Amino acid sequence: MAIRVKAIIGSTSSTSHNLKLIQYMKNRYADQLDISPVFVNDLEMFSIDIENTPPANVRKFKDNIKDSDAVLFAVPEYNFSIPGALKNAIDWLSRGGDYTLQNKPGFIVGSSIGVFGSIRAQMHLREILSNPALAPTLLPGNEVYIGSVHEKINEAGELIDQATIDFLDSVVKNFIAFYDNTRNTVKA
Ligand SMILES: Cc1cc2nc3c(=O)[nH]c(=O)nc-3n(C[C@H](O)[C@H](O)[C@H](O)COP(=O)(O)O)c2cc1C
């Protein structure tokens, strides 16, 4: 059975390359991964005042992430870091006592129109996620930085760069082995 993966889309753009990347992955890996995009656009700004009584859409967002086998982050880079909307969503996940991400298997992909493919954003993201209140079990290595993404995704939303496709294939294969290994370790 396919692994149920919730893909957190770090972009709020309606024409997001990172969303297109996730949609491409959803189709390409449908036999192994059941990927559902999860959006962070409309979440209220986190405040400690309401962390235990979050608005309905935040509750829905947290429940949506909880109801998954694994999590995937699709990360754009804004000013050498992750976009504020993504940080806000992660702040919500870190609070309220439910620790939705803890020990959940996950991996990260990211793209930008610049040549570095969101490398700085992903470095920040890994650091943020290392907080014990978050702490998903992230696939080590396998760092997916898709630079010049606008030249690698066509009008139909398909990835057209063969080297990137081959690399993504290997990352997904590695994630599935990692996921299976994680599950076996938990069962043992
Ligand atoms: C406010 C802002 C800041 C950005 N900063 C960076 C940056 O630091 N590094 C980079 O490579 N691209 C940067 N970009 C370009 C984004 O990576 C590019 O717009 C990318 O397509 C965003 O992802 P999306 O298409 O999924 O929304 C920035 C874009 C915006 C709007």
Side-chain angles (χ1 to χ4, degrees):
M1 220 164 66
I3 302 168
R4 292 177 318 124
V5 180
K6 296 290 164 71
I8 301 181
I9 309 301
S11 172
T12 56
S13 162
S14 58
T15 57
S16 166
H17 293 101
N18 286 282
L19 174 58
K20 287 178 191 156
L21 174 64
I22 292 301
Q23 285 164 337
Y24 174 84
M25 292 178 70
K26 179 179 171 65
N27 292 332
R28 184 168 179 85
Y29 306 114
D31 289 348
Q32 301 128 299
L33 303 181
D34 176 8
I35 298 179
S36 312
V38 178
F39 299 93
V40 298
N41 299 35
D42 300 325
L43 302 179
E44 275 73 3
M45 189 64 71
F46 174 82
S47 166
I48 208 160
D49 296 350
I50 53 169
E51 67 169 319
N52 294 315
T53 53
N57 66 339
V58 172
R59 187 68 269 155
K60 199 169 153 199
F61 167 72
K62 293 178 95 170
D63 289 346
N64 198 1
I65 300 299
K66 192 173 183 181
D67 179 30
S68 66
D69 300 320
V71 67
L72 167 61
F73 292 86
V75 191
E77 183 164 304
Y78 275 14
N79 299 314
F80 296 176
S81 188
I82 63 172
L86 176 58
K87 180 62 164 56
N88 182 51
I90 292 172
D91 288 344
W92 276 115
L93 293 174
S94 73
R95 299 290 293 198
D98 44 4
Y99 306 120
T100 314
L101 287 179
Q102 264 179 354
N103 301 318
K104 197 177 274 294
F107 66 119
I108 300 173
V109 297
S111 67
S112 77
I113 57 177
V115 288
F116 297 120
S118 81
I119 185 167
R120 295 181 186 91
Q122 291 191 44
M123 286 172 72
H124 278 181
L125 179 62
R126 283 181 190 274
E127 192 172 345
I128 291 162
L129 293 176
S130 71
N131 186 291
L134 294 159
T137 309
L138 286 179
L139 174 70
N142 293 274
E143 298 174 8
V144 181
Y145 308 122
I146 305 177
S148 306
V149 64
H150 55 299
E151 295 168 5
K152 295 176 181 164
I153 293 182
N154 69 13
E155 292 280 308
E158 296 156 340
L159 205 50
I160 50 170
D161 184 69
Q162 194 56 47
T164 305
I165 295 169
D166 293 346
F167 182 60
L168 259 189
D169 286 352
S170 73
V171 169
V172 168
K173 187 166 168 242
N174 291 339
F175 176 71
I176 292 167
F178 174 79
Y179 176 86
D180 289 343
N181 195 31
T182 309
R183 295 299 90 179
N184 291 335
T185 307
V186 169
K187 270 186 228 142

